[in-house]
Amino acid sequence: MTEKHEFDLQNFLPYLLNQAAEESSLAFQQVYKDRYGMLRTEWRVLFHLGIYGRMTAKEIGQRSKMHKTKISRAVARLGERRFLTREQDDRDRRLEYLELTNLGLTAYRDLLGVAQTYDAKLSAGLSAEEDAVLRRALRKLAGFDAD
Amino acid sequence: MTEKHEFDLQNFLPYLLNQAAEESSLAFQQVYKDRYGMLRTEWRVLFHLGIYGRMTAKEIGQRSKMHKTKISRAVARLGERRFLTREQDDRDRRLEYLELTNLGLTAYRDLLGVAQTYDAKLSAGLSAEEDAVLRRALRKLAGFDAD
DNA sequence: TGTTGTTAGTTACAAAATCAACTATTAACA
DNA sequence: TGTTAATAGTTGATTTTGTAACTAACAACA
């Protein structure tokens, strides 16, 4: 009596990805939340500016695929807390260049270290080959290749 | 002048996993939302009951790691819409056994088909080996092995 | 110029998630 | 038994997100 549709929820990619994402985000989330009171969108914006440097909200949106309202709110909060400065472009006053302050840079560097350590810890459970294949496959699924 | 900390956000596992999860959930989400007006928690509960059969909210929580308030509200909505029935256990009246109605079962089977097709489509972009490694790695990261 | 369309970013309102406190019931055990 | 602790599930208050409509600025072109 074999099961006809042998469908395991734990093998359905969207579900599996979600569970893995949530599980693997927990510990890092704890850090940026406890240490800086940040939300997910906020550390993401922080990292974009930390890694790629001064840019506009629009550019962050293009890279991250976050919706512009999320970015707008994250930028507003990071601004209030003095993690970044906002400077209007003279030539096109719709544009605002965002840049980390020293405070923001310090937070970024701190969290960067945490992220690197944490990423390594996650990888540690996987073989080198698994790790490489995993990241490549995820990049495909996330649409990071055809960008 | 080589960059000192060559950290790419798109290679940070929690970020990568989240992006892949969101991206890969989009199309399926569209279906259960448009076709049945369901939320993510709702199709998950539906699938748990469809796959594993009659069980309590607690058991769903153990398998899915969803928080009990999410489950409670999803069950309430699915009940209102006649997708499931709720039956109190006589021996322990705190427990309620949940079971799909015919309506729920029909919806489940429909969405199951969609899920299987969709999962196959996602896999199609990957080599057989990538696919296998990906799923194994994700199961590890999601904590589905040590359960 | 002036009209129309587009773009960057914000805001308002509704929907959903989170967290803590709550009810009802059972278990443990003095 | 009577008291305290634990458990299943719900509810309410707050926070966060999502959707759509909005403002302000620029572009295109008659």
Side-chain angles (χ1 to χ4, degrees):
Chain A
M1 197 116 142
T2 50
E3 258 294 332
K4 196 60 184 301
H5 22 254
E6 185 66 52
F7 182 83
D8 189 355
L9 200 42
Q10 297 188 351
N11 210 33
F12 179 41
L13 270 178
Y15 183 78
L16 196 48
L17 283 163
N18 252 296
Q19 294 293 128
E22 268 174 47
E23 189 66 27
S24 76
S25 294
L26 273 179
F28 185 59
Q29 178 176 44
Q30 215 51 51
V31 176
Y32 63 70
K33 195 180 150 198
D34 289 357
R35 227 177 262 186
Y36 300 100
M38 287 187 192
L39 302 175
R40 196 164 57 185
T41 40
E42 286 161 24
W43 82 258
R44 284 187 179 187
V45 166
L46 187 87
F47 267 54
H48 275 270
L49 296 173
I51 293 171
Y52 308 115
R54 172 185 162 99
M55 61 170 70
T56 67
K58 187 200 174 190
E59 291 173 296
I60 295 178
Q62 290 168 334
R63 285 189 189 261
S64 68
K65 291 171 188 160
M66 284 190 281
H67 192 76
K68 60 182 183 174
T69 62
K70 268 191 186 173
I71 296 172
S72 173
R73 290 195 257 242
V75 167
R77 281 186 42 130
L78 289 172
E80 285 165 20
R81 296 169 177 217
R82 311 285 169 209
F83 285 122
L84 56 78
T85 57
R86 323 172 61 158
E87 193 186 351
Q88 216 173 34
D89 184 358
D90 286 332
R91 297 198 301 174
D92 184 344
R93 290 196 312 275
R94 288 171 304 180
L95 298 177
E96 233 180 9
Y97 286 98
L98 308 170
E99 191 167 17
L100 294 185
T101 59
N102 281 333
L103 189 63
L105 211 48
T106 303
Y108 162 65
R109 291 203 183 106
D110 178 34
L111 289 176
L112 175 65
V114 175
Q116 286 174 318
T117 305
Y118 183 49
D119 194 78
K121 195 149 78 182
L122 286 173
S123 284
L126 311 170
S127 74
E129 189 237 355
E130 264 183 334
D131 186 76
V133 173
L134 172 68
R135 287 172 202 265
R136 185 153 36 84
L138 288 177
R139 251 180 268 114
K140 272 190 202 171
L141 288 171
F144 282 159
D145 279 338
D147 265 15
Chain B
M1 199 115 140
T2 51
E3 258 295 331
K4 196 62 183 300
H5 24 255
E6 184 66 50
F7 183 83
D8 188 354
L9 199 43
Q10 296 189 352
N11 211 32
F12 179 41
L13 270 179
Y15 183 78
L16 197 49
L17 284 163
N18 254 295
Q19 294 292 129
E22 267 173 48
E23 189 66 27
S24 76
S25 294
L26 273 178
F28 185 58
Q29 178 177 44
Q30 215 52 50
V31 178
Y32 62 70
K33 194 179 150 200
D34 289 356
R35 225 176 265 188
Y36 299 101
M38 287 188 193
L39 302 176
R40 196 165 57 185
T41 41
E42 285 162 23
W43 81 259
R44 285 187 179 187
V45 166
L46 187 85
F47 268 54
H48 276 269
L49 295 173
I51 293 171
Y52 308 116
R54 173 184 161 99
M55 61 169 71
T56 68
K58 188 198 173 191
E59 292 173 294
I60 295 177
Q62 289 168 335
R63 284 187 190 261
S64 68
K65 291 170 190 161
M66 283 191 279
H67 192 76
K68 60 182 183 175
T69 63
K70 267 191 189 173
I71 297 172
S72 173
R73 285 175 168 129
V75 167
R77 280 186 42 131
L78 290 172
E80 284 165 19
R81 298 169 176 218
R82 312 286 168 207
F83 286 122
L84 56 79
T85 57
R86 323 171 62 158
E87 193 187 351
Q88 216 174 33
D89 184 357
D90 286 331
R91 297 197 302 175
D92 184 344
R93 292 197 309 274
R94 289 171 304 182
L95 298 177
E96 233 181 10
Y97 286 98
L98 308 170
E99 191 167 17
L100 293 186
T101 59
N102 281 333
L103 188 64
L105 210 48
T106 302
Y108 162 65
R109 292 202 184 107
D110 178 34
L111 289 176
L112 174 66
V114 175
Q116 286 174 318
T117 304
Y118 184 50
D119 194 79
K121 194 150 78 181
L122 286 173
S123 284
L126 310 170
S127 73
E129 187 237 356
E130 266 183 334
D131 186 75
V133 173
L134 172 68
R135 286 171 202 265
R136 186 152 36 84
L138 288 178
R139 254 180 265 113
K140 273 190 202 171
L141 289 171
F144 283 160
D145 279 339
D147 264 14

